[in-house]
């Protein structure tokens, strides 16, 4: 048996999964946001306090979605080295990752605006 084949070249481990979800009409951002919401609710249940979200890099995108989807669940957030806004990436023709993308979302909102609500 040969080594596993990877068809999507990226330095990010999750990019292949994100592309497959994208093709199937879902997003890794949405799935991760759902996981953060579940973790936030469990932390509140176990410890009696709402948690603060702290992320680094591209994980800020699903965290912002979780914060927007469940207002009041998280006491605050700290995004360390988050990616640029989607609008900036499009405007400057920068490479965009599927792991930080939500199909069609930029027509309605930019991810950086979500955690400000």
């Amino acid at each position: 048996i040969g080594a596993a084949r990877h068809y999507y070249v990226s330095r990010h481990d999750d990019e292949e999964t994100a592309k497959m979800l994208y093709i199937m009409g879902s997003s890794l951002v949405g799935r991760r946001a759902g996981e953060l919401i579940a973790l936030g609710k469990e932390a509140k249940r176990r410890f009696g306090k709402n948690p603060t979200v702290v992320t680094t890099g591209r994980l800020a995108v699903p965290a912002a979605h979780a914060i927007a989807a469940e207002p009041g669940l998280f006491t605050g957030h700290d995004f360390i080295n988050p990616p640029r806004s989607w609008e900036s990436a499009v405007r400057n023709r920068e490479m965009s990752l599927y792991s930080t993308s939500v199909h069609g979302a930029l027509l309605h909102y930019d991810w950086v605006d979500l955690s400000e609500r």
Side-chain angles (χ1 to χ4, degrees):
I1 298 176
R5 298 175 106 177
H6 294 278
Y7 297 99
Y8 305 104
V9 179
S10 175
R11 61 187 173 96
H12 303 293
D13 295 341
D14 55 3
E15 196 64 7
E16 185 170 349
T17 301
K19 287 180 183 179
M20 294 305 291
L21 287 168
Y22 187 88
I23 290 168
M24 294 187 302
S26 186
S27 74
L28 188 57
V29 170
R31 300 227 177 173
R32 284 185 169 158
E35 290 172 359
L36 282 170
I37 291 167
L39 288 168
K41 288 179 178 180
E42 181 63 16
K44 183 175 181 179
R45 186 190 70 76
R46 283 190 188 188
F47 305 111
K49 294 194 259 182
N50 292 36
T52 297
V53 177
V54 179
T55 67
T56 56
R58 64 192 187 280
L59 295 176
V61 179
H65 281 80
I67 291 165
E70 288 287 335
L73 177 60
F74 302 100
T75 59
H77 67 278
D78 186 11
F79 299 158
I80 301 164
N81 297 322
R84 290 182 178 220
S85 69
W86 291 331
E87 181 183 354
S88 174
V90 170
R91 186 177 311 281
N92 297 310
R93 297 180 181 196
E94 298 169 359
M95 184 179 141
S96 184
L97 298 173
Y98 282 90
S99 60
T100 61
S101 299
V102 177
H103 183 74
L106 189 54
L107 296 171
H108 307 282
Y109 67 93
D110 198 338
W111 82 265
V112 295
D113 301 326
L114 292 175
S115 59
E116 296 173 4
R117 293 181 178 178

